[in-house]
Amino acid sequence: MELERFFPCDPCEQPLDRPVEDGGFCGIFRRIACVGDSLSSGEFESLDENGVRGYHDYFDYSWGQYIARMAGCTVLNFSRGGMTAKNYCENFAWCCDYWNPDRRCQAYIIALGVNDILNARQEPGSAADICLSDWTKNEKTFAGYYGQIIQRYLEIEPNARFFLMTPPRSGPDSNPEYDARKDRLAETIRGIADVFENAYVLDFHRYAVPHDELFTRRFYVGGHLNAAGYLLTAKMTVSYIDYIIRHNITDFAQAGFIGTPYSYAGLKR
């Protein structure tokens, strides 16, 4: 047996160089939550003969549920079409009981920002807007609300791992102003990850294929992904998490104890 075949750790490997089909080491988490908007909810866009558009969240097609089927774990959709970090904190999570400790998870994948920064054109703020000692003192910016989400889930499960997803790049013919906002959003999310010990970036902005004309023709219907697009996103997400775990394996040595009162003293929780 060659360990490298099952646990490759080439220092030159990039995050999406090695696709995994079975969830890979993402499977060490038995309970994961996806915090996000329409693209985390398996939303399909319809268009009738009168030109009226409809937007439909089909959670079974979400990349989170594809991950659940790949990795054999439980994945909860803490998401809805149109979601923003502000709405999540001020209304949605409370109304849906997502702050309930009984719904704690070992890992949280957060995919927010498109509706906040790209569509509503809010200013993103920065990690400096997060008060690490008291989330109620966070600034009322995208970064402040995003940080609050992490902080409140850390209150519920202090040893949870967080995977923060940046938006993929657009094609070469996209609007430069839109691209600049997307760049700023990705930069803000990277900065937020830097201030939390157990947060990692799923940097699709740097490493995923751009959502250009060819990609949208294959994987979109209207302005949202189609079923194949959500499955592809799931494959990229588990492959990226697998990469992070393999290259930071000691950070995850006690993943099996997350959500329990137990630990192995002397090792990082």
Side-chain angles (χ1 to χ4, degrees):
M1 171 188 167
E2 295 179 11
L3 181 60
E4 184 69 19
R5 293 182 58 194
F6 296 91
F7 193 81
C9 210
D10 181 351
C12 297
E13 179 188 5
Q14 296 298 305
L16 294 173
D17 283 352
R18 182 177 180 267
V20 297
E21 299 293 334
D22 60 355
F25 282 94
C26 184
I28 68 174
F29 299 115
R30 308 315 300 151
R31 190 173 170 92
I32 300 170
C34 296
V35 177
D37 51 29
S38 60
L39 296 180
S40 300
S41 305
E43 184 165 295
F44 295 137
E45 183 176 331
S46 62
L47 180 67
D48 69 16
E49 61 275 8
N50 298 313
V52 177
R53 295 185 186 275
Y55 301 92
H56 318 278
D57 287 352
Y58 287 110
F59 292 104
D60 201 40
Y61 280 98
S62 68
W63 48 261
Q65 294 311 311
Y66 278 120
I67 289 172
R69 293 188 284 271
M70 286 179 197
C73 56
T74 297
V75 178
L76 306 179
N77 288 94
F78 290 0
S79 63
R80 187 181 67 188
M83 189 54 54
T84 65
K86 180 177 186 291
N87 189 17
Y88 194 92
C89 291
E90 293 187 344
N91 179 266
F92 179 64
W94 180 81
C95 288
C96 294
D97 202 29
Y98 290 156
W99 305 132
N100 188 333
D102 290 340
R103 307 187 78 173
R104 74 180 68 207
C105 291
Q106 294 176 306
Y108 295 84
I109 305 172
I110 304 179
L112 287 169
V114 169
N115 291 314
D116 313 67
I117 308 304
L118 304 185
N119 296 339
R121 297 173 178 267
Q122 299 172 357
E123 285 303 311
S126 71
D129 296 335
I130 301 169
C131 176
L132 291 175
S133 61
D134 184 355
W135 57 261
T136 65
K137 296 179 181 178
N138 289 7
E139 297 294 332
K140 305 298 185 182
T141 64
F142 166 73
Y145 284 115
Y146 197 111
Q148 181 186 148
I149 293 170
I150 297 173
Q151 289 167 290
R152 295 190 72 169
Y153 284 126
L154 281 172
E155 288 180 346
I156 295 168
E157 178 43 67
N159 298 303
R161 298 321 193 239
F162 294 86
F163 299 95
L164 316 185
M165 188 182 293
T166 64
R169 290 163 292 133
S170 304
D173 299 325
S174 59
N175 183 295
E177 191 272 339
Y178 184 85
D179 287 346
R181 296 189 74 82
K182 189 175 281 192
D183 292 344
R184 179 77 186 280
L185 171 58
E187 179 184 354
T188 301
I189 292 171
R190 294 181 197 117
I192 293 170
D194 285 342
V195 303
F196 292 101
E197 181 181 5
N198 289 323
Y200 306 83
V201 182
L202 302 177
D203 205 340
F204 284 7
H205 195 69
R206 281 181 175 155
Y207 297 108
V209 295
H211 286 203
D212 56 13
E213 189 275 333
L214 177 61
F215 187 96
T216 56
R217 183 153 35 92
R218 289 174 171 173
F219 298 110
Y220 275 72
V221 171
H224 290 79
L225 295 170
N226 60 26
Y230 288 118
L231 176 55
L232 177 61
T233 302
K235 292 184 180 212
M236 295 194 312
T237 302
V238 296
S239 298
Y240 207 132
I241 293 175
D242 174 84
Y243 165 87
I244 289 172
I245 293 171
R246 286 186 291 106
H247 287 264
N248 301 274
I249 190 61
T250 57
D251 290 1
F252 299 91
Q254 299 204 63
F257 281 139
I258 299 174
T260 79
Y262 308 111
S263 66
Y264 193 94
L267 291 181
K268 179 182 177 181
R269 283 294 306 253

